[in-house]
Amino acid sequence: MQLYSTQHQSPDVSLEEAIFRGLPPDNGLYMPTSIPKLPRTFWDTIENLTLQEIAFEIAHALIGDDVPADDLKELVNKAIDFPAPLVAIEDDTYCLELFHGPSMAFKDFGARFMAALMSYFLQKSAQQIHILVATSGDTGGAVAQGFYQTPNIDVTILYPSGKVSDIQEKQLTTLGENVSALEVEGTFDDCQKLVKQAFLDKELTAQFSLASANSINIARLIPQAFYYVNAYAQLKKKGLANEIVISVPSGNFGNLSAGIMAWRMGMPVKQFIAATNVNKVVPEYLQSGIYQPISPSLSTISNAMDVGNPSNFPRMQALFDNDLEQMQKMLTGYFYTDTETRTAMRVVYERTGYVMCPHTAVAYLGLKDYTQTLENPVTGVFLSTAHYAKFLDVVEEVIGEQAIPERLSALLDKEKQATKISTDYEEFKQTIIAAFSKA
Ligand SMILES: *Cc1c(COP(=O)(O)O)cnc(C)c1O
């Protein structure tokens, strides 16, 4: 597999180099130099394949010989060990549930696959690496769970004290072993600053191999294509694979980029919906052709999508050959306020009994608004990116009932283990050096 930078100012690299570098030196994003189409026979018989089998075929087509087929099969089976079911909600309306992994958000697909790939390459070289991540919530949980007990890798997660939800904090701080949490007395920006400074610290990087688990890593994008194609397989099994519309709740647009990649690989899709909250940069771009970042981003109840300048946008452009008209043909944008989001959560719950997290509700709204504009019925799929219980405050307020599932009350009972630090860089540095030296 060969990857290029979307800025075209740095050399092509192998998969191994792309995943350990994260970002190309010219600050572009790595993209595959070619996106292969899967053969006709694959699509024609896809309903007979499992999610893991589909995942292998896609990964193999993209990755090629960088990971031998037998190793790749093992790696995929280890990383993708939870389902992604398609659940009927209303007539012609299906929810693709992506929250059945360990952190209960779709980011588990990316984090677990990246962990397995990194670990695979490191085993060959018997090297130890140290991952540093700053999180405002969801990413940290998926990375912690994804790298938990992974050989040759330890993870240090920095999170802002008092600024993540109880469930999110417990997901970061109760694992132990190769995962440690630093509770920073500051903001998410302070956490990010400490991590950035560590990567620039020559003394530190001379002694230890540091890596990031950034959301723009190509290893996180590839596995997100798996569940789109698996959704297609599930629809085909039901005889519903003719006119498919897929609505994706979006923030940094990694998820939607992966969907477009699946389409480029040959998956039949009529239309994608880019559904956002009031951080509506992309819906506006699709309307006007003007790309205007929002800074600072606006706070909403779908806070994992509070992104004012989506980092994967250049990938979306690349997938449409940097052609706005091509993009507009396949992609329609909608954005929603918190009031509209809450109303959708309540109405769907009252009508069907199905509870959606706020992000999922945004995708539901986008799907409904788009299908209303059509004369003929289509099969609509909206992506559920997190389990509703991760956003319990909003959910309980909207549906007016206690909604905590058993699996989470067990998590909340576990004991938190975190080291409190200030925003002082030297204190942070001494803390991680002590921890790394033990590892
Ligand atoms: C990260 C996240 C999103 C946004 O996904 P992108 O790939 O950044 O567009 C949506 N919903 C939830 C629950 C998330 O955690």
Side-chain angles (χ1 to χ4, degrees), residues 105-107 138 224 249-255 304-305 359 385-386 391:
F106 82 102
K107 290 189 173 70
D138 260 359
Q224 294 183 37
S250 296
N252 266 320
F253 283 84
N255 199 354
M305 311 198 300
H359 312 78
T385 44
F391 302 89

Side-chain angles (χ1 to χ4, degrees), residues 214-233:
N214 209 304
S215 65
I216 44 72
N217 198 299
I218 189 72
R220 288 178 59 164
L221 191 74
I222 294 168
Q224 294 183 37
F226 303 165
Y227 50 72
Y228 284 91
V229 178
N230 187 58
Y232 173 75

Side-chain angles (χ1 to χ4, degrees), residues 377-407:
V378 294
T379 300
V381 175
F382 63 102
L383 271 50
S384 178
T385 44
H387 192 286
Y388 66 84
K390 294 195 85 173
F391 302 89
L392 216 51
D393 295 358
V394 186
V395 168
E396 288 185 346
E397 173 209 315
V398 168
I399 70 172
E401 282 176 40
Q402 277 239 315
I404 191 155
E406 231 169 86
R407 185 169 152 203

Side-chain angles (χ1 to χ4, degrees), residues 4 27 62 71 105 118-119 130 149 199 205 210 227 240 247 263 267 272 302 333 335 375 408 412 423 427:
Y4 72 97
N27 274 321
L62 281 165
D71 292 337
M118 280 187 169
S119 167
H130 309 277
Q149 296 181 323
F199 280 106
T205 52
L210 305 184
Y227 50 72
L240 294 169
S247 179
W263 167 71
M267 173 182 167
F272 285 102
S302 49
F335 67 93
E375 279 175 21
L408 280 178
L412 288 170
T423 57
E427 184 188 348

Side-chain angles (χ1 to χ4, degrees), residues 38 42-43 46 49-64 69 72-82 84 109 113 221-231 233 261 265:
L38 287 161
F42 170 77
W43 299 107
I46 195 166
L49 301 183
T50 64
L51 169 59
Q52 288 181 333
E53 288 165 342
I54 289 170
F56 168 75
E57 294 298 336
I58 296 169
H60 186 57
L62 281 165
I63 290 174
L72 185 62
K73 212 166 259 175
E74 202 177 306
L75 191 158
V76 163
N77 290 347
K78 201 168 78 183
I80 313 300
D81 60 351
F82 52 91
F109 283 90
F113 189 76
L221 191 74
I222 294 168
Q224 294 183 37
F226 303 165
Y227 50 72
Y228 284 91
V229 178
N230 187 58
M261 197 163 74
M265 293 181 85

Side-chain angles (χ1 to χ4, degrees), residues 106-327:
F106 82 102
K107 290 189 173 70
D108 285 326
F109 283 90
R112 288 181 69 77
F113 189 76
M114 174 165 59
L117 254 186
M118 280 187 169
S119 167
Y120 171 78
F121 285 125
L122 288 169
Q123 263 167 359
K124 287 195 307 182
S125 62
Q127 221 195 337
Q128 177 80 19
I129 64 161
H130 309 277
I131 291 190
L132 293 177
V133 214
T135 185
S136 57
D138 260 359
T139 304
V143 170
Q145 305 277 346
F147 282 93
Y148 180 52
Q149 296 181 323
T150 300
N152 305 84
I153 302 179
D154 57 68
V155 181
T156 305
I157 295 175
L158 290 79
Y159 71 97
S161 183
K163 295 192 176 65
V164 300
S165 77
D166 285 356
I167 286 167
Q168 286 173 334
E169 183 172 40
K170 286 291 168 84
Q171 283 183 335
L172 303 175
T173 59
T174 58
L175 288 171
E177 299 189 40
N178 66 327
V179 177
S180 35
L182 298 178
E183 180 177 0
V184 179
E185 292 177 271
T187 61
F188 170 59
D189 287 344
D190 293 323
C191 297
Q192 256 187 327
K193 229 185 262 168
L194 290 172
V195 168
K196 276 194 185 143
Q197 203 170 339
F199 280 106
L200 294 173
D201 186 329
K202 294 218 163 66
E203 195 192 350
L204 196 63
T205 52
Q207 214 181 334
F208 302 102
S209 301
L210 305 184
S212 86
N214 209 304
S215 65
I216 44 72
N217 198 299
I218 189 72
R220 288 178 59 164
L221 191 74
I222 294 168
Q224 294 183 37
F226 303 165
Y227 50 72
Y228 284 91
V229 178
N230 187 58
Y232 173 75
Q234 294 178 68
L235 287 174
K236 193 154 179 281
K237 206 176 226 166
K238 296 182 206 286
L240 294 169
N242 281 327
E243 299 268 296
I244 301 174
V245 174
I246 303 179
S247 179
V248 185
S250 296
N252 266 320
F253 283 84
N255 199 354
L256 184 53
S257 296
I260 295 162
M261 197 163 74
W263 167 71
R264 289 271 315 258
M265 293 181 85
M267 173 182 167
V269 179
K270 177 185 167 65
Q271 191 77 9
F272 285 102
I273 311 300
T276 72
N277 57 34
V278 288
N279 293 286
K280 56 185 178 185
V281 184
V282 172
E284 275 195 343
Y285 174 74
L286 289 166
Q287 279 277 324
S288 67
I290 299 167
Y291 184 83
Q292 198 161 42
I294 297 175
S295 173
S297 61
L298 305 165
S299 289
T300 74
I301 56 169
S302 49
N303 56 27
M305 311 198 300
D306 292 350
V307 180
N309 190 8
S311 51
N312 280 295
F313 188 69
R315 279 198 171 122
M316 295 221 300
Q317 287 182 300
L319 287 162
F320 289 111
D321 302 326
N322 296 299
D323 178 344
L324 174 60
E325 271 180 42
Q326 267 197 54
M327 190 188 273

